[in-house]
Amino acid sequence: MKAAVRTMEEMPLSGFHYKMFAYSAGSAFLDGYIIGIIGVALSVMKTQFDMSLTIMGLLGTATLAGMFVGGIIGGYLTDLIGRKKMFLIDMFVMLVVSILQFFIKDPVQLIILRFILGIAIGADYPIAGALMAEFSPKKNRGALLGGINSLWYVGYASSFLIGYFMLSIGDTSWRWMLASSAVPVLFLLLARLNMPESPRWLASKGKEKEANAIIQRIFGEHVVMSVEPVTKAKTSFLDIFRNGNGKWTFFVSVFWSLQVIPTFGIGTYIPEILAEFGFADGAKEYLGSAIINIFYLAGLVPFLYLVEKWGRRPTLIWPFFVSSISLFILGAFSGSDMPFVFVLVLFIIYGIFNNAMGMHEWIYPNELFPTHIRGTAVGFATAVSRFASSVGTFLFPSILANYGLAVTLYICGALFFIGFVISLIMAPETKNMSLEEASSINKKSSNMGVDIHQGI
């Protein structure tokens, strides 16, 4: 009896999918690690170099600036020359630059290297998301993509832990800290040598025979890529703004930016914020910071289940709303003598629901755009969000100092509330859709009312 033909998106989760998740999640880990380690390294480095506040600021923001460039250029190249090839080129550049940081002679050299490192990190985002989306089963795609976000926090926390232990090296410890990113980069580079190219990308470039060979080698001879017809398409950067894609480019870029502006600001200055609440006794503000960041990670777990159970739309809309209300309440009570536990619980609620929003930064951009511009669109949204987060983080301490804690929290809460309204109006439901269905949802005018407004 002839076996039934199944599509790649109908296959159950397997070891292969978990391996692809590890390849992709490594990008988020490296992002968190490389951004985090500079903070610890600077604490030692500034005792050995006469650095102005401008130089210190440039060292802190060089990576984010590089990510802006890397997101745009890397995303486009990912669609142009392929996922695997860009993955390997990107990792090689990251490896070389990580090692070169050890040998710098002055801070300006490090600024240049951190900028290049940022370009590589920014390029890695669209590659990782596109690969994971294009290999994922449709019933698990949201959880797999959303789960990548959790590795950012693992990488960020690991950088502080490793940096702390490296302090014992002495005056040169900052060199070893900066170069330490070469270790996970080398591991990922070697691991990615064995990964396959995306069959969807190959098919979009007219290489269907090669695409089908990869699918059958991984999943078996009775598995095909999709039941929808495969169309060869030329990659054009401007396509992310036309043919119905401009709406999603706006939506993704805006909700992503509205999520990261308060998140990076509060996350960077949370010890100072807790001190403003009156918990500056030398321990509580740091204890609170640690607890809040732990819940950032733990809070994601139930939402990885709910994004497949309830859908994308409600798990984006209501976290925006709850996070907004949490910050409004904190702002209202900021002038009161509130118990430490009360303030901490509200920040934990904010952190849990905020992270639920964050997972959609990997889900929606990779589902709403067709294969030939998926990397380009994700790269563009990454660039916009990183620019927004860098500006927000730069302005945050000035707003806090000049207008006070209550106003600062109200502004952050208002940004989340705007995100709630925009998501309520624009967020589509893509649960259980194939990538072809999800990326053409804006073109199905007869179904738009149902697709967009279901699942509130």
Side-chain angles (χ1 to χ4, degrees):
M1 186 176 179
K2 190 174 181 180
V5 174
R6 303 175 71 182
T7 68
M8 190 166 61
E9 289 184 295
E10 293 172 333
M11 298 302 292
L13 272 177
S14 65
F16 169 78
H17 294 113
Y18 292 121
K19 188 184 296 184
M20 292 303 299
F21 176 82
Y23 294 149
S24 302
S27 301
F29 177 90
L30 289 174
D31 180 12
Y33 187 91
I34 290 171
I35 287 176
I37 199 67
I38 188 67
V40 190
L42 277 176
S43 67
V44 182
M45 186 180 173
K46 68 183 180 182
T47 65
Q48 300 176 33
F49 292 96
D50 183 18
M51 294 187 290
S52 65
L53 290 176
T54 301
I55 291 294
M56 290 282 287
L58 287 173
L59 281 170
T61 59
T63 306
L64 288 173
M67 289 183 70
F68 175 81
V69 177
I72 294 177
I73 297 175
Y76 177 70
L77 289 176
T78 297
D79 289 331
L80 203 63
I81 67 174
R83 311 326 192 194
K84 180 177 180 178
K85 188 178 295 185
M86 272 301 295
F87 237 167
L88 297 179
I89 293 172
D90 195 49
M91 284 292 98
F92 180 75
V93 171
M94 210 177 292
L95 177 64
V96 172
V97 176
S98 293
I99 295 171
L100 287 177
Q101 290 179 110
F102 185 89
F103 301 100
I104 64 110
K105 300 297 183 183
D106 61 70
V108 175
Q109 291 178 352
L110 184 58
I111 290 171
I112 295 171
L113 290 176
R114 297 293 296 182
F115 180 77
I116 297 172
L117 206 53
I119 293 176
I121 297 171
D124 221 38
Y125 263 67
I127 312 169
L131 260 175
M132 190 73 259
E134 289 163 8
F135 274 112
S136 296
K138 63 182 180 181
K139 290 185 177 180
N140 309 102
R141 189 172 58 237
L144 289 169
L145 286 169
I148 292 175
N149 193 50
S150 65
L151 269 292
W152 190 95
Y153 296 99
V154 175
Y156 191 73
S158 298
S159 70
F160 283 92
L161 184 64
I162 291 173
Y164 172 78
F165 284 114
M166 283 187 170
L167 286 171
S168 61
I169 295 174
D171 291 343
T172 62
S173 61
W174 62 272
R175 294 185 183 273
W176 293 100
M177 291 176 197
L178 295 174
S180 66
S181 59
V183 176
V185 169
L186 178 61
F187 177 81
L188 267 176
L189 174 60
L190 295 175
R192 288 174 176 178
L193 289 173
N194 296 318
M195 63 180 285
E197 179 56 272
S198 165
R200 291 183 179 278
W201 179 82
L202 289 169
S204 75
K205 301 304 177 185
K207 301 178 181 180
E208 291 184 52
K209 185 176 180 180
E210 190 176 340
N212 288 325
I214 291 174
I215 293 170
Q216 291 172 11
R217 184 174 73 246
I218 295 170
F219 299 108
E221 60 179 7
H222 298 294
V223 179
V224 297
M225 183 167 55
S226 175
V227 293
E228 289 91 350
V230 177
T231 55
K232 182 180 178 180
K234 183 180 179 181
T235 295
S236 170
F237 184 86
L238 292 178
D239 275 353
I240 67 173
F241 302 107
R242 56 196 181 196
N243 300 325
N245 296 311
K247 173 181 180 177
W248 298 138
T249 299
F250 173 82
F251 166 63
V252 169
S253 299
V254 171
F255 96 73
W256 194 339
S257 296
L258 289 170
Q259 192 268 334
V260 297
I261 293 173
T263 300
F264 273 68
I266 292 173
T268 302
Y269 299 102
I270 188 65
E272 288 83 353
I273 292 172
L274 291 176
E276 289 277 344
F277 271 103
F279 307 123
D281 63 355
K284 281 188 177 179
E285 68 268 40
Y286 297 106
L287 174 63
S289 301
I291 293 173
I292 289 167
N293 278 285
I294 289 171
F295 273 94
Y296 254 60
L297 182 58
L300 180 63
V301 176
F303 280 98
L304 294 178
Y305 167 76
L306 294 174
V307 75
E308 304 293 6
K309 177 76 173 177
W310 291 352
R312 281 54 160 158
R313 184 170 160 80
T315 53
L316 177 67
I317 292 172
W318 296 115
F320 259 123
F321 181 77
V322 173
S323 293
S324 172
I325 297 303
S326 299
L327 294 183
F328 283 144
I329 295 173
L330 282 165
F333 285 100
S334 61
S336 307
D337 186 19
M338 299 307 299
F340 178 69
V341 173
F342 176 81
V343 174
L344 191 62
V345 167
L346 281 173
F347 268 115
I348 287 172
I349 293 172
Y350 149 79
I352 290 174
F353 283 88
N354 183 25
N355 209 11
M357 290 182 257
M359 71 180 180
H360 287 282
E361 294 159 9
W362 288 91
I363 298 172
Y364 270 130
N366 286 292
E367 290 187 331
L368 292 176
F369 297 93
T371 300
H372 73 287
I373 56 167
R374 182 168 291 120
T376 305
V378 176
F380 179 83
T382 300
V384 172
S385 69
R386 285 304 179 263
F387 176 78
S389 65
S390 62
V391 172
T393 303
F394 177 77
L395 294 176
F396 192 94
S398 298
I399 296 172
L400 184 62
N402 294 320
Y403 299 99
L405 180 61
V407 171
T408 304
L409 292 173
Y410 287 149
I411 291 173
C412 291
L415 290 172
F416 281 143
F417 191 80
I418 295 170
F420 161 72
V421 173
I422 288 176
S423 299
L424 188 66
I425 296 171
M426 297 190 70
E429 185 52 75
T430 55
K431 182 183 72 169
N432 287 334
M433 285 187 179
S434 68
L435 284 177
E436 284 80 5
E437 291 170 333
S439 62
S440 61
I441 191 173
N442 198 36
K443 302 175 181 66
K444 297 177 181 179
S445 57
S446 62
N447 295 329
M448 278 296 288
V450 176
D451 286 335
I452 289 184
H453 296 292
Q454 69 178 2
I456 295 178

